[in-house]
Amino acid sequence: MIVKSKGIVLGYMKYGDTSIIARIFTEEGGYGSYIVNSIRSQKSKKSIGHFQPFTILDLVLYVKETRDLQRISEFKSHYPLHHIHQDLVKGSITLFLTEVFSKLLQSEQSPNPELFVFAEDAIKSFDQLTEGVGNFHLQFLLKLGPFLGYAIDDIDNLFSSTDRLPPTNENHEIMDALMKESYGYEVKMTRDSRSLMLDSILLYYQHHAHISKPKSLEVLRSVLN
């Protein structure tokens, strides 16, 4: 069956001598893995750069329901990203978020159009951000919850279901603003406060979605600090 869909690339691994297996969240099918044949060949007319994290593509997929691993027949850029892959801070945040997002999407094997629109809009906003860049990952993860069925509609929910102590009043207000304000919200906070907030958010998802600790976490912290 041929399926046309937009997709958000979350990463890839080498497959064989010239191909890759890409992890992609698609609008029509949810999260899945797809073979891209001969993309690493010297004769390939398409660049492997299309499969950098958070790239948004227009896809033609060859889907066979009896297979876990599907194939990409055609692809092209849907929305060119101009800054995410050229900026060190944005690139580090992207690698971290695609790792966490991939873990959370393991259960999203069916379409979730509202979640796709949320992620697509967030990526487009992130690419254009000039302020509040260092807070984007916090905002994204705070805003993400409801689309996955985790009702983070109040910051207290982050702490009531885990063993972490509630934040200070100042940090509580900052986290509440990060969740409710648009991307690019600029607020000054200490390195320790930012780490505490991120730890709290990750612990919430680890508790409810049973995800493991992101391998890219320490890299992100070293770049932001």
Side-chain angles (χ1 to χ4, degrees), residues 39-107:
I39 187 67
R40 293 165 47 228
S41 168
Q42 292 182 351
K43 297 180 180 180
S44 175
K45 296 180 180 180
K46 294 288 187 73
S47 170
I48 200 171
H50 283 89
F51 293 91
Q52 294 185 83
F54 271 172
T55 299
I56 304 171
L57 299 175
D58 286 322
L59 302 165
V60 178
L61 309 171
Y62 180 66
V63 178
K64 194 171 183 178
E65 293 184 359
T66 56
R67 292 180 179 174
D68 293 331
L69 194 59
Q70 311 298 340
R71 292 184 182 274
I72 295 179
S73 175
E74 299 176 27
F75 62 88
K76 64 180 181 179
S77 174
H78 173 78
Y79 181 87
L81 299 175
H82 300 289
H83 305 288
I84 285 178
H85 302 130
Q86 284 72 43
D87 182 274
L88 175 61
V89 174
K90 286 188 175 182
S92 299
I93 291 173
T94 295
L95 288 175
F96 169 75
L97 284 179
T98 49
E99 181 183 358
V100 177
F101 198 28
S102 293
K103 293 176 184 292
L104 291 171
L105 286 174
Q106 294 296 322
S107 60

Side-chain angles (χ1 to χ4, degrees), residues 3-60:
V3 177
K4 294 183 178 180
S5 177
K6 285 190 291 185
I8 297 170
V9 179
L10 300 175
Y12 72 84
M13 60 182 292
K14 294 179 181 178
Y15 181 72
D17 293 331
T18 60
S19 302
I20 63 171
I21 296 176
R23 293 178 286 109
I24 302 177
F25 179 45
T26 69
E27 186 174 27
E28 299 297 325
Y31 178 77
S33 297
Y34 298 86
I35 295 176
V36 188
N37 287 323
S38 303
I39 187 67
R40 293 165 47 228
S41 168
Q42 292 182 351
K43 297 180 180 180
S44 175
K45 296 180 180 180
K46 294 288 187 73
S47 170
I48 200 171
H50 283 89
F51 293 91
Q52 294 185 83
F54 271 172
T55 299
I56 304 171
L57 299 175
D58 286 322
L59 302 165
V60 178

